[in-house]
Amino acid sequence: ETDGLSIYSCKPELSSEELRAIAQTVSSATPSTWSAWSNVHITDSCITKVSVSRREDGGTERTYTASWLCPATPPPNMPSDLAALYQTANKLRADVIKRCKDEYEQGVESLRRETQTKPDDAEAHERLGDLYTTGFRYEQAVEAYRQVVRLKPTDLNALSKLAEAYRWSRHGNEAIETYKQLLRLEPKDEVVRDAFTALAEIHEDSKHYREAVESYKQLLRIGPNGEQTREWTEYKLCELYFKLRDYAAALNQFETLKDLGSSQIWGLYGDYLDRGLGVEPKDKDVLLKLANAHFYVNKYDRAIEAYKQVIQLDPGNDLAYSRLGVSYSQLDRNEEAIEAFRQGIRLKPDEASAYTNLGYMYDRLSRYGDALEVLKEAIRLKPDDAQAYGCLAWAHNKMGRYAEGLDAAI
């Protein structure tokens, strides 16, 4: 930091002396009447962005950026007192990029000569492959890593690097075979997870969705690394089942994500269910899961239609009636909600939640006498039903029976 000027590097390729020289160079172009900051972003040994900013009169901060694709001359709207700073930053960027590229090519050539003189030196071939990978030269990295595998055919690290190089050079089949070769060596779970994740992504990119599904299933079988990774894997399975139009499996996965408390269900709903499936399922179980999906994301009007279709196919489905009643209540369609809950009770008279839901609706419509009757039945069936006690207390209080209300509340 020099005279109010700070330069930050996200990689340590520049020495402290070089950074100090940069600060002094840019500082010399900075008028002493205002503060400036230069933010130097370095990626893969190259400066990709240099930004300078100042605080104007009144406290508003303005930032001017010279990025990788910026022209060498300052933008026409840049204040004149910043133009020199901009040009200095661009020159600095160009100088560092040239230096880094020169050093990179020298490193590559040095390792190439070493591998030629020592063709059986696996470590030299691996370092050359790593250097090619750093420069995004994956085809050449493949050749280097192949030499490592030739010399060390059971080296898990070499096989993993070769598979990745195949993958990023768009040789998907070769990458798949290399990952399979790696898995046959029965590595530790962490390596297996990485391999199956890569296999799934390669298959998905190639639109081989069935194969991608199998890879994600394998990942789940060995146990993903952490809850977040499990949630992501379940999400990918759900997405792939939708792409395969396997709606039964997709909706099962949707429910799994909902049970995990995943926010991903909202995105999946918008991507695949909000537009409709294109064809209404005839299987009552699939239709029920579709209705539940609408229900989970609060699309109650669509849930109502789906639950009604379920009931047409399966008139004895008490769960469909229960969810139908809740959906009606969310839309303030109170009488229809009451009728749905009554139907549910007729089908399953020992289900406490149906009585609680019906009692809540009676409370909402100020039918407190009816509410007391059904809520007492709910508590008989489930003595620890806190919601039923709350509704019962409300009904007693509204009827002026405060002692009974207090007793129900506590």
Side-chain angles (χ1 to χ4, degrees), residues 26 29 31 44 49 56 147 185 222 241 261 301 316 323 327 375:
V26 181
D44 295 314
K49 183 170 71 174
E56 307 279 7
Q147 292 301 317
L185 297 173
I222 64 170
Y241 283 132
D301 51 346
R323 292 277 174 82
S327 299
L375 290 168

Side-chain angles (χ1 to χ4, degrees), residues 1-2 4-15 18-20 22-23 26 36-43 46-53 61 92:
E1 185 167 330
T2 305
L5 173 70
S6 298
I7 297 181
Y8 304 93
S9 170
C10 63
K11 282 195 176 182
E13 279 81 359
L14 298 179
S15 67
E18 288 171 314
L19 284 172
R20 192 175 300 112
I22 292 168
V26 181
W37 297 265
S38 177
N39 195 357
V40 182
H41 298 261
I42 300 180
T43 304
C46 294
I47 290 181
T48 58
K49 183 170 71 174
V50 178
S51 60
V52 293
S53 62
E61 186 173 286
L92 165 68

Side-chain angles (χ1 to χ4, degrees), residues 102-398:
D102 290 345
E103 290 180 357
Y104 177 82
E105 293 300 338
Q106 290 170 11
V108 167
E109 184 57 31
S110 174
L111 279 172
R112 283 182 66 252
R113 285 196 299 268
E114 184 176 349
T115 56
Q116 287 171 354
T117 57
K118 301 177 182 178
D120 292 335
D121 187 338
E123 183 181 344
H125 286 292
E126 185 170 357
R127 284 189 285 119
L128 179 58
D130 293 346
L131 196 55
Y132 280 138
T133 299
T134 300
F136 308 106
R137 292 157 68 168
Y138 298 116
E139 293 283 0
Q140 291 163 294
V142 164
E143 294 307 315
Y145 292 136
R146 284 178 64 183
Q147 292 301 317
V148 182
V149 172
R150 175 182 65 82
L151 295 164
K152 300 163 67 177
T154 60
D155 187 296
L156 296 175
N157 188 50
L159 284 167
S160 180
K161 288 181 176 181
L162 176 59
E164 282 294 291
Y166 273 133
R167 180 183 178 186
W168 297 119
S169 59
R170 299 185 181 279
H171 295 294
N173 290 335
E174 290 84 351
I176 289 169
E177 290 307 312
T178 306
Y179 279 120
K180 288 180 178 178
Q181 182 181 349
L182 183 152
L183 289 169
R184 284 194 290 271
L185 297 173
E186 300 182 355
K188 294 181 179 179
D189 283 352
E190 184 178 351
V191 177
V192 175
R193 289 188 191 98
D194 290 342
F196 277 120
T197 300
L199 284 169
E201 291 171 352
I202 293 169
H203 287 310
E204 185 175 3
D205 289 343
S206 304
K207 300 189 186 307
H208 298 150
Y209 298 137
R210 289 288 177 196
E211 292 84 349
V213 163
E214 289 307 312
S215 294
Y216 281 125
K217 282 183 175 179
Q218 290 285 356
L219 190 57
L220 285 175
R221 288 188 189 107
I222 64 170
N225 187 16
E227 193 64 25
Q228 185 176 5
T229 308
R230 185 203 165 184
E231 182 182 326
W232 174 81
T233 307
E234 300 280 9
Y235 162 77
K236 293 302 296 183
L237 277 172
C238 187
E239 186 178 49
L240 287 166
Y241 283 132
F242 274 123
K243 289 179 178 179
L244 288 164
R245 297 181 180 273
D246 186 346
Y247 297 127
L251 290 165
N252 278 335
Q253 286 299 125
F254 194 92
E255 291 206 348
T256 298
L257 284 167
K258 181 262 177 185
D259 292 341
L260 288 173
S262 173
S263 60
Q264 300 282 9
I265 62 173
W266 299 86
L268 286 165
Y269 185 91
D271 289 341
Y272 297 102
L273 292 175
D274 203 29
R275 304 191 290 267
L277 298 179
V279 57
E280 288 296 339
K282 300 300 182 184
D283 186 320
K284 64 179 185 296
D285 294 329
V286 176
L287 193 55
L288 179 61
K289 291 182 183 298
L290 176 60
N292 289 341
H294 294 312
F295 183 86
Y296 295 147
V297 297
N298 307 333
K299 298 286 186 177
Y300 297 114
D301 51 346
R302 297 183 68 174
I304 286 168
E305 295 307 312
Y307 284 127
K308 287 165 72 174
Q309 289 178 311
V310 172
I311 290 167
Q312 286 180 344
L313 295 172
D314 184 13
N317 194 313
D318 63 286
L319 176 61
Y321 274 112
S322 175
R323 292 277 174 82
L324 177 62
V326 174
S327 299
Y328 277 135
S329 72
Q330 292 293 332
L331 299 178
D332 291 326
R333 295 167 63 172
N334 299 322
E335 293 298 339
E336 291 165 293
I338 286 172
E339 182 55 31
F341 291 136
R342 283 174 173 169
Q343 288 289 352
I345 289 171
R346 292 190 191 103
L347 291 169
K348 197 171 183 180
D350 58 348
E351 178 57 50
S353 63
Y355 292 95
T356 301
N357 288 332
L358 183 57
Y360 171 79
M361 294 308 302
Y362 284 143
D363 272 351
R364 179 186 283 188
L365 297 178
S366 303
R367 294 169 57 178
Y368 301 119
D370 294 330
L372 291 177
E373 182 181 347
V374 296
L375 290 168
K376 287 176 181 178
E377 182 62 15
I379 292 168
R380 186 188 70 79
L381 292 168
K382 187 180 179 183
D384 60 347
D385 189 334
Q387 184 181 359
Y389 278 111
C391 291
L392 185 65
W394 178 269
H396 278 306
N397 288 336
K398 286 296 182 179

